[in-house]
Amino acid sequence: MAPMGIRLSPLGMAVFCLLGLGVLYHLYSGFLAGRFAFFMLSEPAGGGSGPGPGSEARVELRELLAVSVLAAVRGGEEVKRVREGNVLNAKAKGKTREGAEEQLTSGDLLSNRRMFYLLKSAFPAVQINSEERVDTADQETVSWDRSIPDDIREKIQPKEVPAESVTVWIDPLDATQEYTEDLRQYVTTMVCVAVDGKPVIGVIHKPFSAYTAWAMVDGGSNVKARSFYNEKTPRIIVSRSHAGKVEQVARQTFGNKTVIIPAGGAGYKVLALLDVAEKNQEEADVYIHVTYIKKWDICAGNAVLRALGGHMTTLSGEEISYTGSDGNEGGLIASINMNHKALLEKLPDLEKTSHK
């Protein structure tokens, strides 16, 4: 007999147990649901970290700018070391569409390795396109201490975007042909960040003078546009191999006083449009390229110009998208503080030249 004369039947015991389980479920279901929601929504801080389960990877653009500047400088150190040690090991890696041999050096490869793995370790969720192939067997561990230089911290506000919308373009050594000829002033290392195909961060570094230009669209920059331009007789900077093609059309359009400046490297040519206080940097009003060109050659310069209010388009006036294929078919014309549309209208024949 139970205490107090109460007898518990098997049915009563079953009902009692079910009531107990109901109370426990009520007490703990809210707690477990809260923990599950926190687990699903939590996301590690910092653009370089991976996402939590169920969350979307995010990239903080100010951090990506900081590591892009560091990558360009670190790559430039390799470029400079190889050139000064005269251990280029130059070889042909193929031919351009125009039939010219493309050179590949130890400077290209070592710079590419350093830049790629620094960016990849800091932002593993981001797509990175580079001019040179990355050899996974030669992987290098390069870490970023997550420090942001004072000038970037002061001028740029934090901004997050989805990692899947970001594409990074690396040019580990721009102007390789000039590099092999020891024409050091033309050589740059470059990093560009595109969001949804639009260039928003550009870094152009000159290894042999330690000069670095950077800019972020709707953010800030450490470089300015040149203040004087002559639209009637502009100084036009072009590739050394294209000077003849451009000169004839340009002189017919602007007159015989038009100055044509042959130069190497797309990065150098964009810097010519800016206020760069260097004795080895020429100045120009317009940059024109009349043939096919790879996007890693021009993305950083395009971003810098956009950030400063300038323009870089195809010769037919179309914006260049930095997604999809790695090449731009329509040539390009770049300007800043000039009437870009008027320039396009004055040079209609160059678009035809770009397909020859």
Side-chain angles (χ1 to χ4, degrees):
M1 180 179 290
M4 304 298 291
I6 299 174
R7 182 187 298 274
L8 295 177
S9 68
L11 178 60
M13 288 291 292
V15 171
F16 181 81
C17 290
L18 288 173
L19 288 172
L21 289 173
V23 170
L24 290 173
Y25 175 80
H26 178 75
L27 290 173
Y28 286 98
S29 61
F31 171 78
L32 292 173
R35 295 301 299 168
F36 180 76
F38 176 81
F39 177 75
M40 293 297 289
L41 295 174
S42 62
E43 181 177 324
S49 301
S55 65
E56 180 186 66
R58 307 286 292 178
V59 170
E60 206 285 282
L61 291 179
R62 184 171 71 171
E63 290 185 351
L64 186 47
L65 169 59
V67 76
S68 295
V69 171
L70 182 59
V73 172
R74 291 280 179 85
E77 291 170 357
E78 296 296 317
V79 168
K80 184 178 179 182
R81 182 177 62 82
V82 169
R83 179 65 266 184
E84 292 182 343
N86 200 28
V87 286
L88 274 64
N89 298 318
K91 60 181 180 181
K93 69 174 182 180
K95 291 189 175 183
T96 67
R97 289 189 178 185
E98 299 166 286
E101 280 194 350
E102 285 191 284
Q103 295 290 309
L104 178 67
T105 71
S106 295
D108 294 87
L109 296 175
L110 293 173
S111 174
N112 183 69
R113 185 178 69 177
R114 179 63 59 88
M115 294 173 71
F116 178 87
Y117 285 115
L118 176 56
L119 286 158
K120 197 64 178 177
S121 65
F123 292 88
V126 166
Q127 177 183 336
I128 301 176
N129 296 335
S130 179
E131 179 171 10
E132 307 304 338
R133 186 175 65 87
V134 178
D135 188 352
T136 54
D138 196 27
Q139 183 171 344
E140 180 174 354
T141 301
V142 186
S143 60
W144 176 47
D145 63 5
R146 311 201 70 79
S147 64
I148 299 177
D150 290 341
D151 59 342
I152 293 178
R153 188 179 296 278
E154 291 170 2
K155 295 179 180 180
I156 307 295
Q157 295 299 312
K159 180 180 180 181
E160 285 193 350
V161 296
E164 65 180 13
S165 70
V166 176
T167 306
V168 176
W169 296 84
I170 299 175
D171 194 339
L173 200 169
D174 189 41
T176 300
Q177 180 62 45
E178 286 74 20
Y179 182 65
T180 63
E181 298 172 16
D182 208 16
L183 299 173
R184 304 184 183 194
Q185 70 271 24
Y186 296 129
V187 176
T188 62
T189 57
M190 296 188 286
V191 181
C192 176
V193 176
V195 177
D196 294 326
K198 296 180 180 180
V200 298
I201 290 175
V203 180
I204 305 175
H205 175 68
K206 299 184 78 172
F208 297 102
S209 66
Y211 174 81
T212 306
W214 60 260
M216 178 171 162
V217 175
D218 296 328
S221 70
N222 71 339
V223 65
K224 297 179 180 179
R226 289 176 54 235
S227 58
F228 174 76
Y229 296 88
N230 189 336
E231 293 194 33
K232 293 183 178 179
T233 56
R235 296 169 58 85
I236 300 176
I237 194 163
V238 298
S239 295
R240 296 161 70 202
S241 59
H242 298 165
K245 290 183 178 180
V246 176
E247 182 172 9
Q248 182 177 1
V249 176
R251 292 191 186 281
Q252 289 174 352
T253 303
F254 297 107
N256 291 329
K257 293 184 178 181
T258 302
V259 177
I260 303 297
I261 305 172
Y268 178 89
K269 297 184 188 79
V270 169
L271 289 178
L273 307 182
L274 308 177
D275 186 6
V276 177
E278 284 197 280
K279 63 180 180 180
N280 288 328
Q281 178 65 59
E282 294 168 283
E283 295 181 349
D285 304 307
V286 183
Y287 164 28
I288 293 175
H289 188 87
V290 295
T291 60
Y292 174 88
I293 191 168
K294 292 296 181 69
K295 291 179 181 177
W296 43 67
D297 290 315
I298 59 176
C299 186
N302 197 343
V304 172
L305 289 173
R306 285 188 70 223
L308 298 175
H311 301 275
M312 179 185 288
T313 66
T314 66
L315 294 172
S316 61
E318 297 175 354
E319 296 294 332
I320 302 168
S321 175
Y322 294 92
T323 56
S325 69
D326 60 14
N328 172 52
E329 298 280 354
L332 70 85
I333 179 167
S335 68
I336 189 166
N337 286 351
M338 297 183 73
N339 188 330
H340 193 78
K341 184 178 180 181
L343 286 173
L344 290 167
E345 292 172 349
K346 286 182 178 180
L347 296 169
D349 294 334
L350 284 178
E351 199 277 332
K352 297 177 182 179
T353 305
S354 69
H355 298 294
K356 293 182 179 180

